[in-house]
Amino acid sequence: DAKTTQPTSMDCAEGRAANLPCNHSTISGNEYVYWYRQIHSQGPQYIIHGLKNNETNEMASLIITEDRKSSTLILPHATLRDTAVYYCIVRVYSGGGADGLTFGKGTHLIIQP
Amino acid sequence: SAVISQKPSRDICQRGTSLTIQCQVDSQVTMMFWYRQQPGQSLTLIATANQGSEATYESGFVIDKFPISRPNLTFSTLTVSNMSPEDSSIYLCSGGLAGGTGELFFGEGSRLTVL
């Protein structure tokens, strides 16, 4: 799986949009970008994933650059409960069943009241 | 989606003993995995739990230290053997659904402290 680079930590004001960047310059054509988060003392939680098109669900939006070398996770209206470590993971997915994920250090997002 | 339950949620153990962690999934998953999260660190994949056959271990992890069983599609166990204080970690179980979106579901983890 391709390597990702994320800022160690970020702050965001409550109610504002939180934009979390991820660099994956060595991504290959069949690798997806996945985002997970881990709230303190909980297991990781899936947020969103995409291949090359922008994606949106009830939790977040994922913007992938045209060259696919970077992406941004957007939490549109951050709340205090969004304080967590956010992991950007690049991996191949064939559809036949999930493979183990390789977690980097992630970004510690702190939402400020 | 899948709900993953782990037992125990936490335990304090003595050096040299072994502890078995159980993982139960509420639906059939294709793959099950075990992770370790050391204090202040990210998650590290220990092994893939294969139904009815030996687990597939990642580099740095061996069967003698972390024996894993998976007798069916919804249940797996991880044993941490001959524990030392360095084994103090959170151990997490996860699973993925065939034909899904490739997302993995995680349990809440089992926090192990070795004295």
Side-chain angles (χ1 to χ4, degrees), chain A residues 3-7 20-25 33-35 69-73 87-90:
Chain A
K3 182 178 173 58
T4 61
T5 304
Q6 299 178 253
L20 291 90
C22 179
N23 182 288
H24 32 79
S25 58
V33 180
Y34 284 80
W35 283 84
K69 293 185 177 181
S70 65
S71 60
T72 301
L73 178 74
Y87 297 99
C88 170
I89 301 169
V90 171

Side-chain angles (χ1 to χ4, degrees), chain B:
Chain B
S1 66
V3 176
I4 298 183
S5 304
Q6 289 185 230
K7 290 194 298 186
S9 58
R10 58 178 63 229
D11 207 339
I12 300 173
C13 302
Q14 295 299 316
R15 180 196 300 260
T17 64
S18 298
L19 178 74
T20 295
I21 302 167
Q22 298 180 3
C23 176
Q24 180 74 54
V25 188
D26 70 341
S27 55
Q28 293 187 345
V29 291
T30 306
M31 309 291 277
M32 291 182 76
F33 308 94
W34 287 97
Y35 286 83
R36 180 176 73 182
Q37 188 168 30
Q38 294 174 301
Q41 303 297 313
S42 184
L43 287 79
T44 301
L45 180 62
I46 297 172
T48 301
N50 300 310
Q51 185 198 358
S53 64
E54 193 170 287
T56 305
Y57 290 85
E58 298 297 309
S59 176
F61 297 96
V62 295
I63 187 171
D64 290 346
K65 177 66 176 178
F66 299 101
I68 290 170
S69 77
R70 188 181 174 192
N72 57 53
L73 286 174
T74 63
F75 185 78
S76 178
T77 66
L78 167 74
T79 299
V80 185
S81 304
N82 187 25
M83 288 183 287
S84 67
E86 291 71 36
D87 295 319
S88 297
S89 293
I90 299 172
Y91 293 86
L92 297 110
C93 173
S94 73
L97 298 172
T101 57
E103 65 186 277
L104 291 187
F105 304 94
F106 286 81
E108 293 298 301
S110 299
R111 182 181 294 271
L112 176 61
T113 301
V114 184
L115 303 178

Side-chain angles (χ1 to χ4, degrees), chain A:
Chain A
D1 295 335
K3 182 178 173 58
T4 61
T5 304
Q6 299 178 253
T8 302
S9 65
M10 294 180 62
D11 287 353
C12 179
E14 187 178 18
R16 304 296 294 269
N19 296 275
L20 291 90
C22 179
N23 182 288
H24 32 79
S25 58
T26 62
I27 193 170
S28 8
N30 60 348
E31 289 183 308
Y32 288 74
V33 180
Y34 284 80
W35 283 84
Y36 283 73
R37 73 179 182 184
Q38 186 175 25
I39 296 171
H40 184 63
S41 296
Q42 297 184 20
Q45 175 190 24
Y46 165 83
I47 302 173
I48 199 168
H49 79 286
L51 182 62
K52 54 184 177 181
N53 297 322
N54 297 337
E55 303 287 345
T56 296
N57 63 19
E58 65 278 5
M59 289 183 66
S61 294
L62 173 61
I63 308 298
I64 303 174
T65 58
E66 191 169 344
D67 64 6
R68 302 209 322 124
K69 293 185 177 181
S70 65
S71 60
T72 301
L73 178 74
I74 302 172
L75 307 178
H77 305 287
T79 71
L80 297 178
R81 289 174 294 181
D82 292 321
T83 292
V85 179
Y86 287 77
Y87 297 99
C88 170
I89 301 169
V90 171
R91 63 192 279 256
V92 175
Y93 177 58
S94 62
D99 300 320
L101 295 171
T102 301
F103 285 81
K105 297 185 184 302
T107 296
H108 187 193
L109 176 67
I110 300 171
I111 306 301
Q112 304 283 2

